[in-house]
Amino acid sequence: MVSTRKNKSIFIDKEAIASLSLAQEGILSPVTGLMNSKDAKKVDASNMYNGKSFPFSFLLAPNGKRNKEVLESLQKGDEVSLVENHKIVGHIEVEEIFEIDPIKRVEKIYGTSDATHPGVASTLARLGKYAISGKYEIEFEDVKASKQKIAEAIAKVEAKHITGIVTAARPINRGHERLIRLALEKTDLVVIFLSKPYSEENVPYGIRYEAVDYLVKNFLPSDRVIVVPFENTYLFAGTNELLLDAIAIQNFGCDRMVIGSNHAGLGMFFESHEIKSIFDSFVGINMSVDISSMFVYCNACKTLVTQKSCPHGMHHHINYNSESLLDLLKNGILPPAILMRKEISSIYLSRMFPN
Ligand SMILES: [Zn+2]
């Protein structure tokens, strides 16, 4: 190989940049940087880091033949450039290069290594044999911009209590809207963290943002509701999504989080006549977590109800099921106005069918 005084390069993708940036900006605290082999082992064995819940080790182990060659050649103290799409996006000072087991890693993240699981497949494709640890700096404006937007909104309304809601708004419907309004009753500011996935999807982030923004600007007190992108990287794709969402939201400055009771990861159960959820097992989450009953439209009550607040049976109830709403939109059909505001449906339809 040709010797050069230039830094060696490691090639990473946008998803890695966003993940590194989240840690750098304190959004994954207690984790603030890449783990060495010793810390990684400890976290994977205990699901704890510095005395707080954290579900798996935070690693950079990029795939690729060139990366493997570079990683094998690195020594402690070397300066390495982080490159994405021919552009240097950061630097790392090597502390340690160590081997990882990609299968064990995906099992830790997704609870399975079954390659038919889309998350497993995509993470396995991105994982290499070696991880690199060390102090790093990464350039990525989005997370900083979100922090700033939230800080400005807090200052503007002098918010003392701030609620975070993570949603993909795929599509945003009246059930979401009711959740947001309820949150506004109890707190000064609502931050909608709009998931920004790193895989291909049929309703792009831009359309979803436009629809939520329209709702906020036209039907909600817009100084008390803001929308920020949520960097929904592989970190949040597995079985520990709720813990990581909570960690991120808390670190973004929220003191309350709303989750729909139908969330798959909640694991609700009864113990000594109390409803418990997975949140009772987390250490370090100090926010209050509001598990909200899901709204349905009752065609006898003619309004939004919850199962608890309406005497009519389920045969009267129409669910705000995002998938079926999305199916209607994909077929070019305007969903019923009781489920989605027609102006909002029109935004999705006109962008999904530009002709
Ligand atoms: Zn009813």
Side-chain angles (χ1 to χ4, degrees), residues 35-48:
M35 293 175 187
N36 58 29
S37 58
K38 198 174 138 220
D39 283 346
K41 221 182 214 169
K42 251 200 281 184
V43 174
D44 285 336
S46 66
N47 301 336
M48 302 282 283

Side-chain angles (χ1 to χ4, degrees), residues 298-302 305 310-312 316-317:
C298 174
N299 62 18
C301 295
K302 302 253 181 296
V305 300
C310 153
H312 307 109
H316 284 285
H317 293 166

Side-chain angles (χ1 to χ4, degrees), residues 20-200:
L20 289 170
S21 172
L22 286 168
Q24 174 177 280
E25 298 303 324
I27 301 304
L28 300 179
S29 173
V31 172
T32 53
L34 289 165
M35 293 175 187
N36 58 29
S37 58
K38 198 174 138 220
D39 283 346
K41 221 182 214 169
K42 251 200 281 184
V43 174
D44 285 336
S46 66
N47 301 336
M48 302 282 283
Y49 184 70
N50 284 349
K52 290 181 179 165
S53 294
F54 204 85
F56 45 80
S57 48
F58 187 67
L59 302 176
L60 178 62
N63 201 0
K65 193 164 159 258
R66 272 197 297 180
N67 281 336
K68 181 168 172 277
E69 283 168 9
V70 171
L71 289 167
E72 279 172 336
S73 76
L74 291 173
Q75 305 288 327
K76 185 173 178 171
D78 285 352
E79 275 280 335
V80 187
S81 301
L82 298 170
V83 175
E84 191 260 334
N85 199 16
H86 311 294
K87 200 178 139 225
I88 294 178
V89 292
H91 297 278
I92 180 165
E93 189 190 326
V94 181
E95 181 202 350
E96 189 190 359
I97 306 291
F98 55 100
E99 269 195 55
I100 63 152
D101 181 340
I103 297 293
K104 278 199 183 139
R105 174 119 182 110
V106 293
E107 276 169 359
K108 195 71 197 153
I109 298 175
Y110 299 99
T112 172
S113 55
D114 181 349
T116 60
H117 182 298
V120 169
S122 102
T123 300
L124 272 180
R126 301 176 60 250
L127 272 179
K129 188 179 169 193
Y130 297 104
I132 177 169
S133 74
K135 285 211 162 31
Y136 68 86
E137 262 176 49
I138 196 98
E139 285 164 35
F140 185 72
E141 289 311 310
D142 298 29
V143 179
K144 277 187 203 149
S146 295
K147 273 168 69 174
Q148 199 182 339
K149 188 171 177 182
I150 294 168
E152 281 167 10
I154 290 174
K156 197 171 159 198
V157 298
E158 294 176 20
K160 288 192 180 59
H161 297 289
I162 302 123
T163 297
I165 301 175
V166 177
T167 179
R170 194 186 290 120
I172 189 131
N173 60 55
R174 290 191 189 257
H176 293 119
E177 184 178 329
R178 184 60 67 94
L179 279 187
I180 297 165
R181 289 190 200 280
L182 279 180
L184 282 168
E185 293 292 333
K186 294 186 192 170
T187 48
D188 311 307
L189 180 70
V190 172
V191 183
I192 300 170
F193 292 91
L194 190 60
S195 290
K196 193 179 168 190
Y198 282 80
S199 50
E200 282 295 310

Side-chain angles (χ1 to χ4, degrees), residues 165 167-173 176-177 180 190-195 205-220 222 225-228 340 343-344 347-348:
I165 301 175
T167 179
R170 194 186 290 120
I172 189 131
N173 60 55
H176 293 119
E177 184 178 329
I180 297 165
V190 172
V191 183
I192 300 170
F193 292 91
L194 190 60
S195 290
Y205 177 83
I207 300 177
R208 294 185 285 113
Y209 182 89
E210 190 185 342
V212 179
D213 191 54
Y214 182 89
L215 176 71
V216 171
K217 293 219 168 95
N218 291 280
F219 298 101
L220 294 166
S222 60
V225 184
I226 57 169
V227 191
V228 298
M340 275 182 73
E343 306 93 317
I344 296 205
I347 292 175
Y348 286 96

